[in-house]
Amino acid sequence: MMVCTGCALLCEDVERYDGEVRDACRIGTAHIRNRQQINPMVDRKVVDMDSAIKGALDILSHAKRPVFVGFGNSITETQQTGIRLAEKIDASIKTFHTGIIENILNNRVKTCTLSDVRDYADVIVFWECDPMNTHPRLLSRYAYYPRGEKRQHGWEEDRIAITIDLRYSHTASICREVHKIHPGLDADFIDALIDGLHNKVPKTTYDKKQILKLAGTLKKAEFGVIFAGTGMTTPQDAIIRLMDELNEVSNFHILPMTPGYNLRSIAAQLHGRADSGIDMHEADCILCLGFDLLNSLPVHEINGKMIVIDPNDTISSRYADVVIPCAAGGVDCAGSAVRMDGVEVDLPRIMESERISDASIMNQLLEAM
Amino acid sequence: MRLQFEEFLAAPECKIMIVTYPDIFQIEAKLKYGKFSREYQDLSAIIMLDSGDLKKIGIKDGDPVAIKSEGMNVVVTAKESEEEHPGIGYMPESVWSNILGVYPVSATVSRSQQEIPAIDELLSRSVS
């Protein structure tokens, strides 16, 4: 048995037998079986590991405005060391898509575990997320198909799935109700839904009848769950407002569909921590930890030297000044991680390799600085 | 290269709002073959358009289209959606979509004769 780190569900029932991966989804199988390995590099020339770490130290020791980015695809132990290193050199740490987690940690919205969803949830809303494409086993293990303690009839009778999204997603195809949001008009949809929850006919461009029907379904929920896409364009304050209104008339919980397998952990560790707040564009050194910054940011927006620590070849690693390859958490390096619902999970190592863990690399950097 | 008559005419444009989406097959291709692979590019550098919008700009499924947003432009393959969504284009989350800006992005789409740029070319263009 192993824990799959292909997504934040951290499925612990995956088996690896004779090189074959059993019971993992399409993403998990590809994640466990394949590596796009990189070599240690300095100035885009292949070097040995010691030289790459020395190159990184050289950049970090001269940095005046360092920024660390990513951390969502690293084991908890690496994140802890990364935070200590950031504190030592006064670096800012940037993580992305942690808005809903922040609201959960601040007790602004009610949440639950995935086991609670399996056992009790009767109304499940997929809000601007498509788990069939991002967290493929969510529906079969927890959210929709399984029988639970209070949901013995499963999806056939006991559960209602609803999608609220900008497009008709694959997940929408199994939902009883599908509502399409117009791009940029998410907050209007929430306002209309809140009116509906108060039995008012909403003043909206959306189909009023559909909104009232949705409000009626949500109000009848015994145990409702909203799976919220973390890249959702809906303003955070609108989500909090909706959750407050829902919990006045019903019982609703929210769970963020986090990208990366350990984003929840770094968000919790950084919660309430003072940050130097250096802007990414002003940084003279950017350390990417398990994160492909250039996938989402054009090169011209980066001015500092770039260090990449990653198990795989990425766009950022091709442009980085220093590249340090590392082992992948839960594959060739053991550790721990926090599932998308906040449950801590131990990650055993399932494969021998010569690669060193990112925790060990961060430790070497911390001790040498 | 043979020039065609249409190249001398201004290509008709269509205003759209672009929204990104996740695609499990594209994520699998990234993990299996890497971000610089042809397999990943073929599943990433695409835009799903409404059949009416395809007609407006005079192209068919599989033709290249130029997408222009504020300051940035990119050429990708147009795909015809099975569902109707006039005025909205869906792109998989990738460097080809992210280079256009923060979503939802307002853009214009038109016919193109250019080839789909590989990641290296796309990023080197964004530096200059």
Side-chain angles (χ1 to χ4, degrees):
Chain A
M1 284 287 183
M2 64 169 291
V3 177
C4 174
T5 49
C7 77
L9 284 180
L10 297 175
C11 295
E12 76 295 332
D13 59 345
V14 173
E15 280 185 83
R16 196 166 169 274
Y17 185 78
D18 252 2
E20 288 298 309
V21 180
R22 289 182 183 170
D23 298 329
C25 66
R26 193 173 278 273
I27 293 174
T29 306
H31 167 71
I32 296 161
R33 289 177 65 170
N34 300 281
R35 285 281 84 77
Q36 308 301 323
Q37 296 220 14
I38 36 175
N39 290 311
M41 285 193 277
V42 173
D43 294 331
R44 290 169 210 173
K45 289 186 187 92
V46 177
V47 296
D48 57 47
M49 273 298 275
D50 289 343
S51 303
I53 290 173
K54 201 166 163 285
L57 278 169
D58 191 41
I59 294 174
L60 288 169
S61 58
H62 287 96
K64 289 189 170 63
R65 296 179 304 281
V67 172
F68 294 180
V69 292
F71 286 71
N73 275 309
S74 299
I75 54 172
T76 303
E77 293 77 4
T78 309
Q79 296 172 348
Q80 287 164 349
T81 317
I83 292 171
R84 282 168 58 205
L85 178 62
E87 282 167 353
K88 196 164 186 179
I89 64 169
D90 204 17
S92 176
I93 297 181
K94 309 269 183 224
T95 55
F96 303 95
H97 308 305
T98 53
I100 295 168
I101 306 176
E102 286 288 318
N103 286 321
I104 289 171
L105 295 169
N106 285 326
N107 293 319
R108 289 293 295 113
V109 287
K110 202 157 79 169
T111 190
C112 62
T113 65
L114 287 169
S115 305
D116 293 335
V117 175
R118 185 190 53 223
D119 286 338
Y120 310 117
D122 59 341
V123 177
I124 303 107
V125 181
F126 300 103
W127 196 298
E128 283 192 43
C129 65
D130 183 8
M132 279 196 187
N133 280 286
T134 57
H135 299 68
R137 297 183 75 205
L138 177 74
L139 276 74
S140 60
R141 296 195 74 207
Y142 304 105
Y144 188 57
Y145 293 111
R147 272 81 174 114
E149 194 182 315
K150 291 271 173 66
R151 303 292 162 219
Q152 285 295 312
H153 298 286
W155 64 279
E156 295 100 322
E157 291 176 32
D158 281 349
R159 300 193 206 269
I160 298 171
I162 299 164
T163 292
I164 299 168
D165 206 345
L166 297 160
R167 63 188 281 270
Y168 190 87
S169 63
H170 288 134
T171 305
S173 62
I174 58 102
C175 289
R176 196 181 293 180
E177 285 185 38
V178 178
H179 300 267
K180 266 176 88 170
I181 305 177
H182 308 309
L185 294 176
D186 318 47
D188 293 8
F189 186 89
I190 287 183
D191 288 339
L193 185 54
I194 289 171
D195 282 345
L197 291 173
H198 290 296
N199 300 320
K200 287 185 206 160
V201 177
K203 286 178 189 162
T204 177
T205 50
Y206 290 101
D207 185 332
K208 295 177 181 62
K209 224 171 156 182
Q210 288 293 315
I211 295 272
L212 288 169
K213 187 182 167 206
L214 172 63
T217 310
L218 300 185
K219 276 161 81 173
K220 282 184 208 149
E222 284 176 20
F223 191 108
V225 183
I226 293 179
F227 286 100
T230 46
M232 60 196 286
T233 48
T234 314
Q236 288 291 312
D237 56 345
I239 296 167
I240 293 173
R241 204 153 42 85
L242 174 65
M243 287 302 291
D244 288 344
E245 298 284 351
L246 273 172
N247 280 311
E248 271 184 27
V249 293
S250 184
N251 175 27
F252 261 85
H253 311 77
I254 195 164
L255 273 168
M257 299 288 285
T258 54
Y261 73 86
N262 205 15
L263 192 69
R264 179 84 187 236
S265 164
I266 187 66
Q269 289 184 67
L270 293 177
H271 181 64
R273 173 186 172 272
D275 189 90
S276 55
I278 301 161
D279 190 87
M280 183 98 70
H281 310 300
E282 292 169 357
D284 58 355
C285 157
I286 297 175
L287 187 149
C288 301
L289 184 64
F291 181 71
D292 194 2
L293 180 65
L294 293 186
N295 191 59
S296 45
L297 207 63
V299 185
H300 64 80
E301 292 189 15
I302 294 169
N303 301 309
K305 296 239 177 197
M306 192 165 25
I307 302 163
V308 168
I309 302 173
D310 206 296
N312 291 311
D313 185 19
T314 63
I315 302 171
S316 304
S317 70
R318 297 274 176 116
Y319 283 80
D321 298 280
V322 173
V323 178
I324 308 175
C326 64
V331 180
D332 48 358
C333 128
S336 61
V338 178
R339 207 167 62 179
M340 58 183 265
D341 58 349
V343 172
E344 200 168 311
V345 178
D346 284 331
L347 309 175
R349 184 168 76 160
I350 55 141
M351 203 187 282
E352 295 285 330
S353 91
E354 287 177 357
R355 302 193 300 181
I356 58 172
S357 70
D358 45 4
S360 167
I361 294 164
M362 290 304 261
N363 251 324
Q364 287 187 47
L365 294 174
L366 178 68
E367 281 167 15
M369 281 302 293
Chain B
M1 193 178 82
R2 214 181 71 183
L3 289 173
Q4 296 191 344
F5 177 68
E6 304 95 71
E7 288 177 45
F8 294 100
L9 300 171
E13 288 185 342
C14 179
K15 278 191 181 176
I16 55 165
M17 193 70 97
I18 298 174
V19 172
T20 56
Y21 67 92
D23 174 20
I24 192 168
F25 297 102
Q26 179 224 23
I27 297 169
E28 184 190 30
K30 174 186 78 181
L31 295 165
K32 261 177 139 170
Y33 309 110
K35 281 189 175 172
F36 296 88
S37 67
R38 185 76 208 183
E39 289 85 353
Y40 179 71
Q41 178 175 322
D42 288 347
L43 291 168
S44 303
I46 59 169
I47 183 165
M48 305 296 296
L49 290 172
D50 179 77
S51 56
D53 289 341
L54 283 180
K55 275 184 198 144
K56 267 189 213 166
I57 53 177
I59 59 157
K60 57 183 190 312
D61 183 89
D63 285 348
V65 282
I67 306 169
K68 289 176 198 163
S69 73
E70 262 181 48
M72 290 310 295
N73 67 77
V74 68
V75 175
V76 297
T77 304
K79 301 266 184 192
E80 185 174 348
S81 283
E82 285 176 11
E83 56 160 333
E84 287 185 13
H85 50 86
I88 301 175
Y90 299 119
M91 291 181 83
E93 289 160 3
S94 75
V95 71
W96 285 272
S97 55
N98 289 337
I99 206 154
L100 293 166
V102 180
Y103 290 84
V105 166
S106 181
T108 57
V109 59
S110 60
R111 193 177 61 222
S112 175
Q113 306 283 346
Q114 290 177 23
E115 288 201 359
I116 317 296
I119 290 180
D120 285 327
E121 192 192 332
L122 199 63
L123 290 176
S124 60
R125 242 196 308 141
S126 85
V127 178
S128 55

